[in-house]
Amino acid sequence: MERIVKAFFNSAAGLAHAVRYELAVRQEVIVLLVAVPASFLVTESWWKRLALIGVILLVLMVELLNTAIEALSDHVTPDRHPHIRIVKDLGSSAVFTALTLAGLTWLLALAERLV
């Protein structure tokens, strides 16, 4: 149980750091805070609400991983390096893919609601 408690506090510290210092993470947390109540307006289905909130959480998860990759890359070499650039671009592509999934999910749910 002690390990689980320590893991929770480490995770909370990481999230707090990301919210404090990363604009993209702050923006995604705000979107999440808006998405939770909005999901209740978009659909009456609990599964669809879970999907709508889940894709926003997925974006946040991928953004946190991308932030970790960028921080580690900057630590390894603060200078510009072509291989590090590729690593950062791949992380950014992962975020873009998650954002695309989230956008399509919300658009489909909204279209279904309006039709």
Side-chain angles (χ1 to χ4, degrees), residues 40-52:
F40 283 82
L41 300 173
V42 172
T43 184
E44 295 178 8
S45 167
W46 284 100
W47 284 107
K48 290 177 185 174
R49 288 179 188 149
L50 176 63
L52 292 172

Side-chain angles (χ1 to χ4, degrees), residues 15 19 24-25 27-36 39 48-66 94-95 97-99 101-103 105-106:
L15 182 59
V19 168
V25 173
Q27 290 170 337
E28 289 157 5
V29 167
I30 291 168
V31 169
L32 177 63
L33 293 173
V34 171
V36 171
S39 71
K48 290 177 185 174
R49 288 179 188 149
L50 176 63
L52 292 172
I53 296 166
V55 293
I56 304 301
L57 285 169
L58 177 68
V59 169
L60 182 58
M61 286 184 275
V62 175
E63 185 67 57
L64 289 167
L65 289 171
N66 184 49
V95 174
T97 304
L99 284 167
L101 175 63
T105 303
W106 275 85

